[in-house]
Amino acid sequence: FDSEIPYSVKIWTGEGEDNGTDANVWIVIFGTKKLHTGTQYLEFAQSGDKFEPGSVKTFSFDAPDVNEVKRIKLGHDGTAPGSGWFVKQVSVDMPTKGKNFLFSCGQWLARDKSDGRTERTFSLDEGMSSITSYRPKVTYECTVVTGDVDHAGTDMKIMLSASGDKGTTTPVELEKASDRFERAREDNIRLELEDVGALKKIRVETSASGSRQSWFLERIDMFNTATGVKYKFECNQWFGKKSEDKKYWRDIPATKRGKEVISRTTYKISVKTSNVPGAGTDANVYVILFGSNGDTGELHLKKSETNKSPFENDQLDVFTHNDMLSIGEMSKCRVWHDNKELLGFGAAWHLDYIEVEDMSSRKKYTFHCGKWLSKKEDDKQIVRELTCATRPLTPGGQDETVYEIEVKTADKEKASTVHNGWLIIKGKKGETKMKMKNSARDKILRRGDTNSFSHSCKNLGKIQKVIVGAYEREDKPLQDLEGKDAMWYCYQVSVTDTSTGDKYVFPCKDWVEIGSSPFKRSMGKELELKDVEQSQVSVVRSLASVKYQIVVYTGDVFGAGTNANVYLTIYGANGDSGKRVLEQSWRDLFERNQIDKFEIECLDLGEIEKVRIEHDNKNFRPAWFLDKVEVINLGTNEKKTFPCKQWLDKDRGDGAISRELLPVD
């Protein structure tokens, strides 16, 4: 019982008007080998709340790890007539294990109904129960500090996502419980987020809704409970109506010792419209740039610096975006337009290419397109995802690359050396030499240490071999030392090409002799490449475009259809599709018991992990009962099914109009 982990329990109460209860409810979760959580009382955050008919309620708590959920026991203390409770289904979620267990119940817990029992055990092998898996999450303890200034508080909806070495998390809502996010408050909130490695920045988005559409955020601290690392995000800015730039979202970099871990830069975006008949457009054009530090967010390409009217046939338009957080090495670009037509000119646009220059590193990235963005031409897509040509161009042709090198000394007796090391790194396009100098001030190559070095040289292409050696220090001659006293035990050398993010790993695990001078190949150890850890950036750069068919099944219940606008985001191992509107002209979509099909194109998402489906609650009768969604990769015909069987309705169930759906295993 020493290790507790987070659980999240969701309970669906039946719709009948006598199906709810205000009794106190408890649950015990049973796992393998007699493991169980003990009795957990399910307490509401707001007092006076209860299990209303048709409601969906969620409870989160920490309890002993039961390994794998097998069954649950559910009960309540209601004895009076009419305090009975009809439970439709219960789900148990284990975020840090990436597992969700759904129990179909469909039974009364009531003194005066069916068999009179107020507690029951439900097992996974009964009825329509199921298990789904997803990428395990990490628990963060967050402190959200609202500033101590007039009108700092808000009741807008607040979403947070985080970007790290391994990508970006799905946005999660910071729930507005009781008096959170009021002036001068520090609110502690627990969040379960995908593991994206060391955090570099967070994105905080607020919705333009609620009665107070401004918020002054001082800072957010995030503590990773798995690694024990604490991150600080200093904001000190307004969101919404009171902000000078009227922005409802901000990217906030992590700060280390008071310094931002991501630098700021200016992006110069050049857009070339093709030279084909009707290529130009009057629609509004937007891009998002992606890289090793996440993405830029939506950029509206509004005012061209080179032409009065942008995006005309065969024209090159230049747009500058200043004071941006750098996204690091770029991997892809998403470009789209809003399909608005002006003065009867079509919105269709034929894009040749986009070139982006990072003005602080002077690197240029080229994204080729050569296709229509049009609802009528070609494959009728108005969103394109483009990858950048493999390596960025650095001006002046002095194709220099920075290599980050890590040298690890073994943690064993006599492994250390006070002498100097040397490396020869061989790549497909040439080799480079590097010294690692030991001194009284800079003690390196010591037992159990990992030392990091930066080395700049012309690009070597793919790294193939490393030769590692050591040579004596002038102020500490070897004299008559011999055996292991005249040696160094090198454990491993790794070389990261910062232009691609690829890390080449060369194990050594051997004694290295200390020679009289550096770079004597006969004295060195030649290391073989064991592993290339491909970075997210180089994975994305090599992806091909894929067409996905989306099949949406509206349920067969009274009032199931919706007239709202519906949006879908697909999340995969390689990233996400972005939020896509599901629309077709001349067809009434999402009617009761109807099947609607759509096609979208994006870069290959890899293994599809989940989808988010939502509507904007607009138009007459927006409530929607969604049965399921299917996503089919039209290149491989692989199909994934995402069951929903729930309302997306502000006034029913849990009131959500946006849902994350997991695939059935």
Side-chain angles (χ1 to χ4, degrees), residues 463-474:
I463 309 289
Q464 295 163 324
K465 275 202 177 92
V466 166
I467 304 170
V468 61
Y471 65 104
E472 71 179 313
R473 218 162 106 182
E474 282 168 19

Side-chain angles (χ1 to χ4, degrees), residues 416-435:
S416 299
T417 184
V418 295
H419 296 279
N420 303 318
W422 57 264
L423 290 175
I424 297 175
I425 302 169
K426 296 175 131 179
K428 218 169 172 170
K429 296 188 196 163
E431 63 174 54
T432 188
K433 296 177 175 175
M434 186 186 102
K435 293 177 183 171

Side-chain angles (χ1 to χ4, degrees), residues 463 466 492-496 502-508 527-533:
I463 309 289
V466 166
Q492 164 174 304
V493 177
S494 69
V495 181
T496 302
D502 289 343
K503 182 176 182 177
Y504 299 85
V505 181
F506 297 89
C508 175
L527 309 183
E528 293 298 323
L529 177 65
K530 174 186 160 228
D531 194 20
V532 183
E533 294 172 19

Side-chain angles (χ1 to χ4, degrees), residues 360-560:
S360 53
S361 71
R362 307 304 311 212
K363 283 183 178 170
K364 287 182 177 171
Y365 301 85
T366 309
F367 301 91
H368 288 286
C369 179
K371 283 183 179 171
W372 284 101
L373 281 79
S374 162
K375 295 227 167 144
K376 301 192 177 89
E377 314 281 335
D378 217 6
D379 57 3
K380 307 183 176 42
Q381 300 289 321
I382 61 167
V383 185
R384 297 280 179 206
E385 288 203 328
L386 314 171
T387 54
C388 79
T390 41
R391 296 204 42 259
L393 294 168
T394 321
Q398 78 296 47
D399 191 16
E400 289 259 310
T401 298
V402 177
Y403 291 94
E404 301 279 346
I405 293 153
E406 283 189 350
V407 177
K408 197 170 174 178
T409 301
D411 190 4
K412 60 193 288 177
E413 215 175 326
K414 298 202 170 173
S416 299
T417 184
V418 295
H419 296 279
N420 303 318
W422 57 264
L423 290 175
I424 297 175
I425 302 169
K426 296 175 131 179
K428 218 169 172 170
K429 296 188 196 163
E431 63 174 54
T432 188
K433 296 177 175 175
M434 186 186 102
K435 293 177 183 171
M436 304 175 282
K437 290 200 161 173
N438 239 318
S439 67
R441 210 186 64 220
D442 206 4
K443 296 185 166 79
I444 59 169
L445 313 184
R446 302 302 155 101
R447 174 175 173 172
D449 280 1
T450 300
N451 301 113
S452 302
F453 308 92
S454 272
H455 179 73
S456 192
C457 62
K458 71 175 203 307
N459 188 274
L460 304 169
K462 287 200 163 103
I463 309 289
Q464 295 163 324
K465 275 202 177 92
V466 166
I467 304 170
V468 61
Y471 65 104
E472 71 179 313
R473 218 162 106 182
E474 282 168 19
D475 58 346
K476 292 213 175 187
L478 271 174
Q479 284 152 335
D480 43 12
L481 284 179
E482 49 186 47
K484 289 183 180 165
D485 292 323
M487 291 178 124
W488 161 52
Y489 194 101
C490 174
Y491 185 79
Q492 164 174 304
V493 177
S494 69
V495 181
T496 302
D497 176 341
T498 60
S499 71
T500 62
D502 289 343
K503 182 176 182 177
Y504 299 85
V505 181
F506 297 89
C508 175
K509 299 185 190 168
D510 206 352
W511 293 97
V512 177
E513 268 186 82
I514 292 159
S516 53
S517 61
F519 310 125
K520 279 196 177 156
R521 288 171 199 249
S522 56
M523 295 284 286
K525 287 261 176 277
E526 190 165 295
L527 309 183
E528 293 298 323
L529 177 65
K530 174 186 160 228
D531 194 20
V532 183
E533 294 172 19
Q534 249 201 326
S535 70
Q536 188 81 2
V537 166
S538 68
V539 169
V540 172
R541 281 181 185 172
S542 61
L543 297 174
S545 284
V546 170
K547 293 236 178 354
Y548 292 95
Q549 187 181 49
I550 319 293
V551 189
V552 179
Y553 295 76
T554 299
D556 188 9
V557 298
F558 177 74

